[in-house]
Amino acid sequence: MEHVDRCVVLVDAGYLLGAAASLLAGEPARSRITVDHAALIHGLRERAEADTERPLLRIYWFDGAPDRVPQPEHRRLRVMPRVTVRLGALTRSDGRWAQKGVDAAMHAELTELARNRACSDIVLVTGDGDLLPGLMSAKEHGVAVHLWAVQAADGDYNQSEDLVAEADERRVLDRTWITQAVRAKDLGGVCAPPPAPRPEIAAILSAPLPEAALAAAGGAVDDARARVAEVVRNGTSAPAADTGAPAGAAGTGVKGVPTPKDLAGMRGPGAPGAVPPGDRTAQAGATLRWSSDKGWIERGGGGTLGEPPESASLPTLAQLTSAEQRWADREEDITTVGGDPYEVGQVFARRWMERLPDPAHVQKLSSMYPRIPHRIDGELLRYAARFGLLAHKDDQIDEHDRYAIRAGFWREIDVRAAAEGAPARE
């Protein structure tokens, strides 16, 4: 049986992205880089078809994940055409993360493709010498093996010499090629790009607070907004400001974008509504820009913990969804939703609006901007958690994801509200 004249690409993501981080950021930590996965896959396909002179069958992306649960980047990749994601385990030992099972999965795929004559050319993007037996087996089955390396940093060698010697062809993905899809984060290095603007977050953060809250907070809110504007504009941590807030509140300095809880703590001592340290009952009257699973919102009237009447009448997505729709939603989540925070918020809002029995609910919710009713907001965040969002990253909850999720939600609401005659917010 003849080999089919097409090529397959096997990518060791740990090697590719770790080597790219070393090249661009000076250390192999993938947290030091940002990756445009769509551009990276396009570049791999284009380069493979040019080098092998064969059409692409498929790109296999091998990576590790905690408990083999797909992370947002894996979800984005696996819904792309001609991309298959294979996950090994990611375990932590002595403070370091290590992949388990990735090499074995690559070896098995490599030998099976060659044995079944599924392709004529295989591109390996790896540096691991453990794949040498698989490479030799593929050659014995008549497959041409192309080995790609990432340009090494500072003259280092990042591939097994035996692997290089055994490959039929070898190419090096240089800095110019890598930077088409990978950038170093802004940590002071020369390769760092300017932070991407986040106008949708800035718009939400600049929304007016109720007059009572402004009076209670004095100048603290204005100071907070100034710091938030600096964060959004420069992508840096907000400087500390002396607002007289309790220790541990946002007034002592906010890291990144302040959370709703941070904003609630920006009150001077003795001001109306000030929250004494450790007094949870006093927090019932705290004013937040929106509610969250564990936060408090301004309740109006008596300031009780009961939900305001205007939002209590709004149904949750779960109340609007039938068993058949739940199945269809899960199918869509798996096959088409990439897991970008902004996109997740949009998908949730679209489903909620499509199932509303009364279109007037959209206008009612739009009038509450930027505060999402507590029950709906909690449901939104739980939905986002399915995609690995809101998880601990470097031991810190990613608040930028929370803001992006809610910004996507409001954007979709605005589109519908504008179509029904209400002015959309810029």
Side-chain angles (χ1 to χ4, degrees):
M1 182 174 65
E2 293 292 328
H3 283 289
V4 178
D5 287 335
R6 53 194 180 189
C7 67
V8 170
V9 181
L10 306 184
V11 180
D12 179 349
Y15 166 76
L16 173 60
L17 300 182
S22 293
L23 178 65
L24 302 181
E27 61 178 85
R30 287 161 61 169
S31 60
R32 298 289 300 273
I33 56 174
T34 57
V35 183
D36 182 340
H37 291 92
L40 182 57
I41 293 299
H42 174 76
L44 288 169
R45 178 172 186 167
E46 189 176 62
R47 182 73 178 263
E49 291 182 335
D51 278 10
T52 65
E53 299 181 346
R54 301 285 188 269
L56 177 78
L57 169 63
R58 189 173 297 116
I59 294 175
Y60 288 90
W61 185 272
F62 296 86
D63 202 2
D67 299 322
R68 291 186 169 87
V69 175
Q71 300 301 295
E73 66 180 283
H74 303 135
R75 290 180 174 275
R76 286 193 288 271
L77 285 162
R78 71 183 188 181
V79 299
M80 294 180 186
R82 303 289 179 126
V83 177
T84 295
V85 176
R86 297 279 189 259
L87 295 179
L90 191 63
T91 59
R92 189 161 188 164
S93 178
D94 297 327
R96 298 176 62 87
W97 290 99
Q99 294 183 159
K100 301 292 184 183
V102 174
D103 295 341
M106 288 191 70
H107 181 278
E109 201 71 59
L110 175 60
T111 54
E112 282 299 305
L113 287 167
R115 184 181 297 117
N116 293 324
R117 299 179 180 271
C119 57
S120 58
D121 296 73
I122 291 179
V123 175
L124 280 178
V125 186
T126 186
D128 197 334
D130 290 345
L131 286 176
L132 182 61
L135 186 153
M136 297 172 66
S137 175
K139 289 175 62 177
E140 290 170 0
H141 283 90
V143 172
V145 180
H146 305 250
L147 182 65
W148 289 0
V150 175
Q151 179 182 337
D154 300 326
D156 291 339
Y157 205 74
N158 58 19
Q159 280 186 310
S160 161
E161 293 186 21
D162 291 336
L163 209 61
V164 172
E166 194 66 30
D168 294 307
E169 302 282 350
R170 183 171 183 262
R171 296 287 184 271
V172 176
L173 305 176
D174 60 17
R175 180 187 293 266
T176 300
W177 190 93
I178 291 294
T179 52
Q180 293 176 8
V182 183
R183 293 287 187 274
K185 289 184 178 177
D186 188 2
L187 299 172
V190 295
C191 301
R198 303 296 294 271
E200 73 282 357
I201 293 177
I204 288 179
L205 292 171
S206 63
L209 287 171
E211 291 300 322
L214 290 174
V221 171
D222 291 335
D223 293 341
R225 283 182 178 160
R227 297 203 304 281
V228 167
E230 183 71 15
V231 170
V232 174
R233 184 168 55 252
N234 299 329
T236 58
S237 295
D242 183 13
T243 64
T252 61
V254 179
K255 181 177 181 180
V257 177
T259 66
K261 184 178 178 181
D262 293 330
L263 294 169
M266 290 178 181
R267 299 168 179 272
V275 181
D279 185 355
R280 291 177 59 85
T281 59
Q283 291 176 318
T287 299
L288 305 190
R289 294 182 180 273
W290 44 51
S291 63
S292 69
D293 268 350
K294 298 180 180 179
W296 290 264
I297 63 172
E298 185 183 32
R299 302 302 179 180
T304 66
L305 289 177
E307 187 167 12
E310 65 271 18
S311 62
S313 62
L314 295 176
T316 63
L317 180 60
Q319 293 170 335
L320 299 170
T321 303
S322 66
E324 292 79 7
Q325 286 172 324
R326 276 196 297 273
W327 183 90
D329 289 349
R330 193 63 173 166
E331 182 81 3
E332 182 183 15
D333 291 344
I334 294 170
T335 58
T336 63
V337 180
D340 174 78
Y342 194 83
E343 176 195 15
V344 166
Q346 289 181 300
V347 170
F348 182 93
R350 187 189 72 238
R351 291 174 182 170
W352 185 79
M353 290 186 294
E354 287 175 349
R355 296 166 192 174
L356 284 174
D358 183 359
H361 284 317
V362 176
Q363 299 294 342
K364 180 182 292 186
L365 177 62
S366 183
S367 69
M368 299 176 188
Y369 178 87
R371 187 181 295 116
I372 303 175
H374 179 73
R375 293 172 302 118
I376 296 174
D377 186 63
E379 191 179 39
L380 169 61
L381 296 182
R382 287 192 294 274
Y383 172 65
R386 294 184 191 175
F387 298 90
L389 300 172
L390 313 178
H392 286 270
K393 300 176 182 179
D394 298 326
D395 299 323
Q396 300 239 352
I397 292 178
D398 194 330
E399 291 295 339
H400 279 85
D401 281 355
R402 292 178 180 267
Y403 281 92
I405 291 162
R406 288 157 171 148
F409 176 89
W410 278 120
R411 179 57 183 166
E412 201 71 12
I413 297 294
D414 278 352
V415 170
R416 174 68 65 89
E420 295 176 358
R425 287 173 288 274
E426 296 298 331

